[in-house]
């Protein structure tokens, strides 16, 4: 059994509060900007935010009056790598030839991303709020962000209550390792928040260790948004996940 503990302290930084503001600003630019070039840049900018909230404004951007903006919205969706965007791309009816090419390329990119061989198999048990004070919606958003980061890391997520033999079959099929992760959001002594991730082998369930990341100095939503990518990064490095 290997027990590891990694603690990462993120100091309060103005950037913590800028993530949501950036998506909101780019969304407003995409929806209300008078110059098509500005709307186009906003669509491309939303694509690189890695924020799930960028999905809807980009799908809406496919209906822009400008073919330049519509093409940029398609490119932004491809960059965002939210596979659910395939639906809005396929439903969109396009008449401009160049924009249609961009849409088809975006669909192919997302379908290729969806079909790529996984690097690891993860049974993610979800997030528990141990602070007792966070809104349920914020806990759910944090859970979805952790899942998204796992997928971007190359993980295939196991279905709930999967039989052991089924999990072993997946591992054998892809020749990969399996892990079970459970997450908790905890208060810190300094008044901040901590995400603690316990990692076990899967489906064997041998304890491998725990990783913690923590931050202080901002609103809970901003702290958790900043901590999610750090938590997955630390897990991947600590347990030597091959990506």
């Amino acid at each position: 059994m290997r027990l590891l503990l990694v603690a990462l302290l993120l100091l309060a930084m103005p950037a913590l509060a800028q993530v949501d503001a950036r998506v909101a600003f780019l969304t407003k630019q995409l929806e209300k900007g008078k110059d098509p070039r500005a709307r186009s840049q906003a669509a491309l900018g939303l694509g690189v935010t890695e924020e799930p909230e960028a999905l809807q404004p980009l799908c809406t951007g496919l209906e822009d009056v400008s073919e330049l903006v519509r093409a940029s919205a398609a490119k932004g969706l491809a960059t965002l790598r939210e596979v659910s965007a395939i639906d809005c791309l396929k439903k969109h009816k396009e008449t401009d030839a160049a924009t249609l090419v961009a849409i088809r390329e975006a669909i192919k990119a997302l379908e290729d991303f969806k079909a790529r061989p996984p690097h690891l198999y993860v049974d993610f048990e979800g997030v528990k709020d141990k602070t007792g004070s966070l809104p349920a919606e914020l806990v759910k958003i944090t859970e979805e962000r952790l899942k998204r980061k796992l997928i971007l890391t190359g993980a295939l997520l196991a279905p709930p209550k999967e039989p052991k033999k089924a999990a072993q079959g997946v591992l054998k099929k892809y020749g990969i390792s399996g892990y079970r992760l459970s997450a908790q959001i905890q208060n810190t002594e300094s008044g901040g928040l901590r995400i603690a991730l316990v990692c076990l082998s899967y489906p064997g369930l041998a304890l491998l260790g725990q990783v913690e990341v923590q931050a202080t100095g901002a609103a809970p939503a901003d702290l958790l948004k900043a901590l999610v990518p750090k938590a997955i990064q630390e897990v991947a490095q600590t347990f030597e996940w091959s990506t």
Side-chain angles (χ1 to χ4, degrees), residues 10-218:
L10 299 179
L11 298 179
M13 297 179 293
L16 290 176
Q18 293 175 0
V19 182
D20 278 336
R22 183 186 180 197
V23 173
F25 172 77
L26 291 172
T27 297
K28 184 177 180 180
Q29 285 289 100
L30 177 58
E31 293 176 348
K32 302 183 181 299
K34 294 182 179 180
D35 188 340
R37 292 171 297 181
R39 299 200 303 277
S40 173
Q41 288 301 312
L44 295 174
L46 283 168
V48 299
T49 61
E50 295 191 355
E51 298 294 346
E53 296 93 330
L55 174 63
Q56 188 54 53
L58 283 172
C59 283
T60 302
L62 293 173
E63 306 300 330
D64 196 277
V65 295
S66 167
E67 62 271 13
L68 173 64
V69 178
R70 297 197 300 273
S72 295
K75 292 175 183 177
L77 287 168
T79 305
L80 189 64
R81 292 192 292 181
E82 283 282 349
V83 295
S84 57
I86 294 173
D87 290 338
C88 72
L89 286 163
K90 287 186 173 181
K91 289 178 181 177
H92 175 69
K93 306 298 182 182
E94 183 56 56
T95 57
D96 178 69
T99 304
L100 187 57
V101 169
I103 290 173
R104 288 173 176 170
E105 289 178 346
I107 292 172
K108 184 180 185 305
L110 290 170
E111 288 181 338
D112 288 347
F113 176 72
K114 183 179 180 180
R116 75 201 191 287
H119 295 293
L120 64 154
Y121 197 44
V122 177
D123 177 36
F124 185 63
E125 290 194 302
V127 177
K128 293 183 179 180
D129 173 24
K130 290 298 184 178
T131 72
S133 61
L134 298 175
E137 182 62 23
L138 179 55
V139 177
K140 182 63 176 177
I141 289 172
T142 301
E143 181 173 312
E144 292 304 314
R145 290 182 182 282
L146 285 167
K147 288 180 180 179
R148 171 173 165 77
K149 287 297 180 181
L150 285 168
I151 292 171
L152 292 177
T153 300
L156 174 64
L157 299 185
K161 299 181 180 179
E162 180 183 40
K164 186 174 183 179
K165 286 186 177 180
Q168 290 171 334
V170 173
L171 299 183
K172 183 178 180 180
K173 176 182 177 180
Y174 293 108
I176 55 179
S177 298
Y179 303 89
R180 171 174 287 180
L181 284 182
S182 60
Q184 291 185 359
I185 303 173
Q186 306 166 349
N187 289 318
T188 67
E189 296 76 6
S190 57
L193 291 175
R194 175 190 300 114
I195 293 180
L197 287 168
V198 176
C199 184
L200 296 85
S201 65
Y202 181 76
L205 304 184
L207 178 62
L208 299 178
Q210 177 171 307
V211 168
E212 295 181 358
V213 293
Q214 62 186 36
T216 189

